[in-house]
């Protein structure tokens, strides 16, 4: 999906200021000064667009779109289903979600509609059609922003109403055909939970069924299916009048919804990034996590994504909310671009005077107009994006390494009730990802349905569940020369969460036999020696036996002393590595470093980068290298080759000096 320029702007709520024309006038003047070329309108405007059922008031919005356009600012137009007006919830209470405890929500808040509700769908379709009809007359409208942060209200985020229960049963009927097949897949004989009628099936809830892992897993799948269906419904509604591209704003690794599925009907992926910068002095853990989220958003379509929201200064919903220190706004914005974003957008343009977000950071504060550090930081980002516009838009990241991140595996691995109750897939995944980040190497993320071909190296930590055909795919990949890395607690269950019996599905490829798994606790440490350096492993130690694999490191303590911790097996033209324990970060870094070397993968500078410094590369006719310093102090990075700064033409070789929180965009000089 290509836009005519990199987008810079953000959420704009003129409907909160309709009685202050001088504010609206000032907004446009200051947007131009801040190099804003695009705003998002209408995200929560339903009550203003349709104050009473069937009474539409779109003139103000149309006027605003037109006025912005005449001033060079395009509109990302949102559909307003993210928050419901009172007339809707009062008259049609079935549009509101039912929580897991069975109670229906009261009106208020947001992101809490029932996505199955026929009435909700009917009402939002009527609204969306009106919007689309209007948008078809307005050249200022650039794209659709469907709803907002779908599912983002409650930790469970699912609706448990009767309409949803019926839809769930129907979905199960289509999946399994017969109750007999379902009972078998869910292992319902356990505790006598055999279903004899479809009507007996209910979503998993704390005061009801939670022990059937197959049910839990299918419920997660259903929630994604149903939300995707709602999203498609909205897209179809605007499509009747408009063929503009559509997106919806995702959030981090949002456990409730499988983004690989949700993204299917979108033209472009976008997301809202709110990292906890300055949480600690060491920014690396937050930088790693944020880089992973950006890379995921790019990987979903293997194409540039949009940073739809970020804060220009602080947020207001964590216990403490640090302001971005000098340099961090530019760095965090460029980090998104480095990993594939073609925009930097904010929540919000102007702080409202009242309600829950009046102290959330914004480009414009309640006072001081453009005379603030935040405003200047934002303008600087806008200007830089203008300078680099065509260079950035002709490029996208094309990593040679991939990591398997799979939502279905996530749900199953953490629901497993063993070997530890606090299995944390995301945390373990990020520790492995961090080894790439620290090396300055970008990776793609794929799920188990993704293609492995084309990557020189694939890592799949904590890959508990194997989807059908996955093991065969890995086998072909390794046989053809790929490097595959996996860990303890992998290849344990099939797609319905039933344990594999007999062999590990990748036994031949990995060349090991898994036997048992020790989880002595988070504080437990074992010792291993890898390449003559001593390291520690954490609270999970799997006991495996080498068959055809070569052992690279062994446990040095406990009754499984001498058993393998790290193995490599040559299989066909490739190699498969197995990590039986949860090693400390340093061991992961050393181990991945070696694998990358074998795969011929390295950062663009071909050197070891200092701690806190990383790189990401966007390939194109001109390759762009983003060298980022996440330390609040200057640092020198040793490099091989010669480089020029894309913004200024300044030349560097041997060593590049980075200021505190600086991101340089570099082009390698030939020869
Ligand atoms: C996002 C949301 C915005 C705003 C923002 C505050 O999650 O989409 O509407 O609430 O958070 O950080």
């Amino acid at each position: 999906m290509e836009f005519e320029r990199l987008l810079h702007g953000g959420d704009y709520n003129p409907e909160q200021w309709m009685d202050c024309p001088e504010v609206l006038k000032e907004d446009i003047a200051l947007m131009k000064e801040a190099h804003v070329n695009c705003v998002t309108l209408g995200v929560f405007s339903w009550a203003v667009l349709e104050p009473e059922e069937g009474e539409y008031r779109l003139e103000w919005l149309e006027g605003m779109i037109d006025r912005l356009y005449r001033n060079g600012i395009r509109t990302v137009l949102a559909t307003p289903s993210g928050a419901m007006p009172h007339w809707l919830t009062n008259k049609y209470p079935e549009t509101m979600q039912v929580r897991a405890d069975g109670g229906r929500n009261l009106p208020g808040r947001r992101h809490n509609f029932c996505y199955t509700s026929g009435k909700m769908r009917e009402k939002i379709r009527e609204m969306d059609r009106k919007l689309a009809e209007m948008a078809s007359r307005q050249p200022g409208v650039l794209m659709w922003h469907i709803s907002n942060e779908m599912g983002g209200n409650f930790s469970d985020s699912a609706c448990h109403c009767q309409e949803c229960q019926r839809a769930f049963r129907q979905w199960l009927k289509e999946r399994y055909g017969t109750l007999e097949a379902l009972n078998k897949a869910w292992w319902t004989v356990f505790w006598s939970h055999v279903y004899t009628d479809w009507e007996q099936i209910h979503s998993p809830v704390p005061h009801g069924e939670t022990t059937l892992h197959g049910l839990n897993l299918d419920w997660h799948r259903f929630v994604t299916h149903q939300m995707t269906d709602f999203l498609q419904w909205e897209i179809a509604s605007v499509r009747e009048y408009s063929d503009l591209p559509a997106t919806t704003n995702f959030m981090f690794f949002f456990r409730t919804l499988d983004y690989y599925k949700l993204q299917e009907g979108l033209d472009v992926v976008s997301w809202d990034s709110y990292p906890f910068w300055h949480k600690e002095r060491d920014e690396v853990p937050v930088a790693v996590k944020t880089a992973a989220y950006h890379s995921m958003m790019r990987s979903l379509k293997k194409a540039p994504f949009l940073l739809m929201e970020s804060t220009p200064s602080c947020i207001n919903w964590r216990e403490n909310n640090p302001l971005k220190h000098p340099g961090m706004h530019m760095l965090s914005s460029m980090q998104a671009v480095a990993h594939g974003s073609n925009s930097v957008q904010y929540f919000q343009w102007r702080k409202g005077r009242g309600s829950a977000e009046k102290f959330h950071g914004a480009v414009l504060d309640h006072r001081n107009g453009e005379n603030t550090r935040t405003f200047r930081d934002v303008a600087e980002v806008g200007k830089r994006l203008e300078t680099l516009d065509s260079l950035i838009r002709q490029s996208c990241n094309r990593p040679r390494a991939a990591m398997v991140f799979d939502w279905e595996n996530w749900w199953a691995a953490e629901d497993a009730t063993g070997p530890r109750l606090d299995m944390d897939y995301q945390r373990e995944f990020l520790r492995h990802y961090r080894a790439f980040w620290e090396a300055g190497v970008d990776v793609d993320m794929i799920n188990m349905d993704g293609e492995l071909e084309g990557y020189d190296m694939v890592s799949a930590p904590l890959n508990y569940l194997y989807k059908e055909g996955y093991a065969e795919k890995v086998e072909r990949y390794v046989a053809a020369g790929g490097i595959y890395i996996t860990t303890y607690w992998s290849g344990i269950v099939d797609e319905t969460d039933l344990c594999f019996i007999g062999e590990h599905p990748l036994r031949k490829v990995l060349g090991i036999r898994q036997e048992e798994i020790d989880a002595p606790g988070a504080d437990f440490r074992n010792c291993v020696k890898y390449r003559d350096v001593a390291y520690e492993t954490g609270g999970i130690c799997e006991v495996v036996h080498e068959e055809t694999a070569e052992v690279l490191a062994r446990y040095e303590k406990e009754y499984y002393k001498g058993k393998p911790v790290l193995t490599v097996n040559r299989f066909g033209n490739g190699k498969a590595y197995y990590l039986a324990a949860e090693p400390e970060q340093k061991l992961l870094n050393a181990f991945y470093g070696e694998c990358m070397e074998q795969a011929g993968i390295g950062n663009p500078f071909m050197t070891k980068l200092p701690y806190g410094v990383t790189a990401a590369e966007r390939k194109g006719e001109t390759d762009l290298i983003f060298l980022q310093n996440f330390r609040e102090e200057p640092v020198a990075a040793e490099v091989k080759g010669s480089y020029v700064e894309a913004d200024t033409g300044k030349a560097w070789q041997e060593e590049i000096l980075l200021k505190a929180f600086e991101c340089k965009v570099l082009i390698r000089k030939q020869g």
Side-chain angles (χ1 to χ4, degrees):
M1 182 72 256
E2 272 248 16
F3 294 105
E4 69 214 3
R5 53 194 164 169
L6 298 173
L7 306 183
H8 183 236
D11 278 26
Y12 180 39
N13 300 106
E15 68 273 29
Q16 295 176 14
W17 300 94
M18 283 318 207
D19 51 356
C20 303
E22 68 290 354
V23 169
L24 300 178
K25 205 164 150 209
E26 184 190 55
D27 281 337
I28 294 201
L30 293 183
M31 280 175 191
K32 287 176 160 176
E33 212 175 309
H35 301 267
V36 162
N37 58 30
C38 160
V39 294
T40 306
L41 289 178
V43 183
F44 301 112
S45 306
W46 200 339
V48 189
L49 293 168
E50 191 182 0
E52 293 296 338
E53 187 173 10
E55 241 182 63
Y56 296 99
R57 299 259 189 286
L58 272 60
E59 315 72 38
W60 67 271
L61 180 61
E62 186 163 9
M64 185 54 69
I65 294 170
D66 179 51
R67 193 157 145 203
L68 287 160
Y69 184 56
R70 282 188 280 108
N71 283 279
I73 301 164
R74 304 289 301 268
T75 293
V76 173
L77 186 57
T79 65
S81 55
M84 298 183 284
H86 280 300
W87 63 256
L88 175 71
T89 48
N90 276 349
K91 188 161 176 200
Y92 307 109
E94 69 270 32
T95 56
M96 289 181 287
Q97 252 179 42
V98 169
R99 298 181 305 275
D101 66 10
R104 195 177 286 281
N105 288 329
L106 292 175
R109 310 219 289 196
R110 59 178 181 174
H111 304 152
N112 49 6
F113 58 86
C114 168
Y115 36 76
T116 305
S117 159
K119 191 47 86 176
M120 177 66 189
R121 289 181 180 215
E122 178 193 321
K123 291 289 137 191
I124 196 63
R125 170 153 287 178
E126 288 165 9
M127 177 77 253
D128 289 356
R129 275 184 181 146
K130 293 278 175 206
L131 278 175
E133 197 182 355
M134 179 273 282
S136 66
R137 295 192 291 269
Q138 286 302 328
V141 182
L142 186 65
M143 66 184 299
W144 289 103
H145 176 297
I146 305 291
S147 202
N148 190 65
E149 294 190 337
M150 306 193 85
N153 195 35
F154 301 105
S155 56
D156 175 24
S157 294
C159 180
H160 296 263
C161 76
Q162 285 312 313
E163 256 188 279
C164 286
Q165 303 294 344
R166 279 194 293 277
F168 180 42
R169 289 177 202 128
Q170 186 53 38
W171 182 85
L172 290 169
K173 277 185 197 159
E174 282 160 29
R175 189 172 174 85
Y176 292 103
T178 65
L179 264 185
E180 199 193 342
L182 174 142
N183 278 314
K184 217 166 151 195
W186 289 2
W187 208 254
T188 54
V189 182
F190 174 77
W191 288 356
S192 245
H193 294 178
V194 179
Y195 293 100
T196 52
D197 190 324
W198 292 98
E199 293 302 304
Q200 295 158 354
I201 300 174
H202 192 281
S203 56
V205 290
H207 58 296
E209 184 62 277
T210 56
T211 54
L212 295 180
H213 292 168
L215 163 69
N216 299 346
L217 186 55
D218 276 336
W219 173 249
H220 280 298
R221 290 180 176 130
F222 167 76
V223 170
T224 289
H225 165 86
Q226 207 62 357
M227 194 61 103
T228 308
D229 194 62
F230 182 86
L231 179 64
Q232 304 296 349
W233 171 272
E234 281 219 64
I235 295 176
S237 308
V238 299
R239 282 279 174 268
E240 290 176 28
Y241 292 94
S242 161
D243 53 10
L244 291 172
T247 190
T248 186
N249 45 345
F250 288 168
M251 297 170 281
F252 46 94
F253 291 178
F254 182 57
R255 193 175 184 276
T256 308
L257 297 173
D258 181 345
Y259 280 163
Y260 292 101
K261 297 249 157 44
L262 204 62
Q263 63 84 29
E264 276 168 9
L266 301 176
D267 298 293
V268 56
V269 167
S270 69
W271 86 286
D272 302 344
S273 175
Y274 293 101
F276 199 165
W277 300 121
H278 318 307
K279 181 182 179 195
E280 295 160 10
R281 282 220 72 81
D282 182 6
E283 305 284 352
V284 169
V286 176
V288 167
K289 206 189 227 185
T290 311
Y293 296 159
H294 287 312
S295 290
M296 164 64 79
M297 299 303 158
R298 180 198 69 234
S299 301
L300 290 172
K301 287 202 183 291
K302 297 205 178 149
F305 63 94
L306 299 175
L307 176 63
M308 188 57 86
E309 290 179 25
S310 61
T311 178
S313 63
C314 64
I315 53 150
N316 70 333
W317 41 262
R318 288 196 179 102
E319 206 162 73
N320 62 301
N321 298 292
L323 293 169
K324 281 177 163 173
H325 293 191
M328 185 48 98
H329 182 58
M330 178 63 83
L331 174 62
S332 59
S333 301
M334 294 312 285
Q335 182 192 31
V337 177
H339 287 276
S341 179
N342 275 4
S343 75
V344 175
Q345 280 156 279
Y346 312 113
F347 178 85
Q348 49 190 340
W349 167 253
R350 182 185 279 279
K351 283 184 190 175
R353 289 188 65 197
S355 302
E357 294 186 324
K358 60 182 181 291
F359 298 123
H360 191 288
V363 182
L364 292 182
D365 205 342
H366 297 126
R367 300 180 185 145
N368 296 314
E370 73 279 37
N371 193 14
T372 62
R373 183 175 68 100
T374 299
F375 188 90
R376 287 189 291 276
D377 281 357
V378 164
E380 205 189 327
V381 168
K383 191 150 183 261
R384 193 170 192 195
L385 293 179
E386 278 171 11
T387 309
L388 297 174
D389 186 277
S390 53
L391 273 176
I392 292 174
R393 281 191 302 108
Q394 55 88 45
S395 64
C396 187
N397 315 54
R398 301 274 172 244
R400 293 171 51 202
M403 291 187 72
V404 175
F405 185 92
D406 192 293
W407 260 260
E408 296 181 43
N409 177 56
W410 190 0
W411 299 324
E414 292 184 358
D415 196 33
T417 43
R420 213 163 68 189
L421 286 189
D422 62 348
M423 292 298 269
D424 189 334
Y425 177 54
Q426 187 184 182
R427 190 191 60 205
E428 196 54 9
F429 177 88
L430 287 174
R431 286 180 355 96
H432 285 248
Y433 174 81
R434 180 171 173 160
F436 289 102
W437 190 93
E438 288 204 41
V441 172
D442 198 3
V443 300
D444 268 351
M445 283 158 211
I446 53 175
N447 68 357
M448 277 181 262
D449 305 317
E451 285 303 322
L452 309 181
E453 272 73 36
Y455 295 108
D456 297 313
M457 178 176 167
V458 174
S459 158
L462 215 71
N463 204 3
Y464 167 74
L465 175 149
Y466 278 8
K467 284 186 191 161
E468 214 177 311
Y470 178 70
E472 293 73 13
K473 182 153 68 177
V474 172
E475 187 168 332
R476 284 195 300 276
Y477 171 73
V478 179
I483 294 181
Y484 183 75
I485 299 160
T486 193
T487 70
Y488 67 90
W489 206 230
S490 289
I492 311 288
V493 299
D494 70 10
E495 224 164 308
T496 59
D497 213 338
L498 292 180
C499 295
F500 290 114
I501 45 179
E503 294 198 352
H504 185 290
L506 283 176
R507 182 172 178 176
K508 281 206 297 296
V509 179
L510 297 168
I512 51 137
R513 179 169 64 83
Q514 293 170 321
E515 188 183 340
E516 50 187 357
I517 189 158
D518 191 24
D523 296 334
F524 174 83
R525 297 282 172 269
N526 206 316
C527 303
V528 302
K529 215 175 253 158
Y530 173 66
R531 307 293 181 216
D532 289 329
V533 181
Y535 297 97
E536 285 186 336
T537 71
I540 292 227
C541 299
E542 195 173 39
V543 180
V544 303
H545 306 271
E546 66 265 41
E547 293 186 328
T548 51
E550 178 193 339
V551 180
L552 302 176
R554 296 180 189 275
Y555 292 112
E556 303 211 328
K557 271 182 19 188
E558 293 306 316
Y559 54 92
Y560 37 85
K561 179 176 172 189
K563 291 276 176 257
V565 175
L566 184 54
T567 60
V568 58
N569 192 46
R570 279 162 211 285
F571 184 83
N573 295 322
K575 284 180 180 175
Y577 289 88
Y578 192 82
L579 201 46
E582 204 182 53
E584 65 173 306
Q585 189 68 46
K586 277 195 218 140
L587 173 50
L588 280 176
N589 292 0
F591 162 62
Y592 273 95
E594 206 168 293
C595 296
M596 283 186 253
E597 210 178 303
Q598 279 173 31
I601 294 175
N603 67 50
F605 303 103
M606 293 162 288
T607 52
K608 185 170 166 23
L609 296 173
Y611 184 78
V613 174
T614 193
E617 188 170 14
R618 291 181 62 137
K619 295 274 190 194
E621 227 167 88
T622 308
D623 297 342
L624 296 178
I625 306 167
F626 295 74
L627 183 62
Q628 307 148 60
N629 175 21
F630 284 91
R631 275 159 56 175
E632 201 166 9
E633 60 191 6
V635 67
E638 194 199 317
V639 296
K640 290 197 179 125
S642 310
Y643 302 84
V644 288
E645 288 188 35
D647 319 54
T648 60
K650 186 172 163 102
W652 295 92
Q653 58 184 18
E654 285 171 28
E655 192 179 71
I656 298 179
L657 299 178
L658 291 154
K659 296 192 206 88
F661 294 147
E662 190 190 6
C663 172
K664 281 197 193 300
V665 183
L666 299 156
I667 299 169
R668 190 180 293 108
K669 280 212 286 199
Q670 299 308 326

